[in-house]
Amino acid sequence: MLNVTERAKAKLKELLQTESDDRSVGLRLGKTASGALGVFPDRERADDQVVEHDGAAVLLVGQEIAEKVEDTTIDYEEGGPGPGLVIKKN
């Protein structure tokens, strides 16, 4: 099961609001052009796992990615090389 901390949900919602005013759009966790995991605006699909925060779908996770991030936690950290979302194994 994928867990998302409250801090990460709040940051995802903030990022989503800067990306789109369309309430039917969420941020999809998926592979970027470089092959790394990232988030990008997208519409919900029938097989998505949806993570909500304050009534908004802040993270969409398709079946293929869900299997790869099973038993992980997504958090938001300020430190390191820069602030950002981190995925940690449970």
Side-chain angles (χ1 to χ4, degrees):
M1 178 174 162
L2 172 66
N3 297 303
V4 182
T5 66
E6 289 301 311
R7 180 174 42 201
K9 289 177 186 179
K11 191 50 106 171
L12 286 163
K13 185 173 182 185
E14 181 183 311
L15 179 59
L16 179 59
Q17 290 172 336
T18 65
E19 293 289 327
S20 175
D21 291 333
D22 186 344
R23 301 271 304 159
S24 67
V25 171
L27 291 174
R28 177 165 303 281
L29 178 64
K31 289 186 179 180
T32 64
S34 67
L37 280 179
V39 293
F40 50 89
D42 199 7
R43 296 196 186 281
E44 186 177 339
R45 299 178 191 151
D47 67 340
D48 283 343
Q49 290 182 26
V50 179
V51 177
E52 294 187 357
H53 182 69
D54 288 338
V58 295
L59 189 64
L60 309 172
V61 184
Q63 188 62 37
E64 178 183 319
I65 296 297
E67 292 170 2
K68 293 179 181 178
V69 296
E70 190 168 327
D71 296 325
T72 63
T73 297
I74 296 178
D75 197 3
Y76 179 80
E77 293 182 354
E78 294 286 339
L85 295 171
V86 293
I87 300 175
K88 300 176 184 178
K89 279 287 202 191
N90 293 339

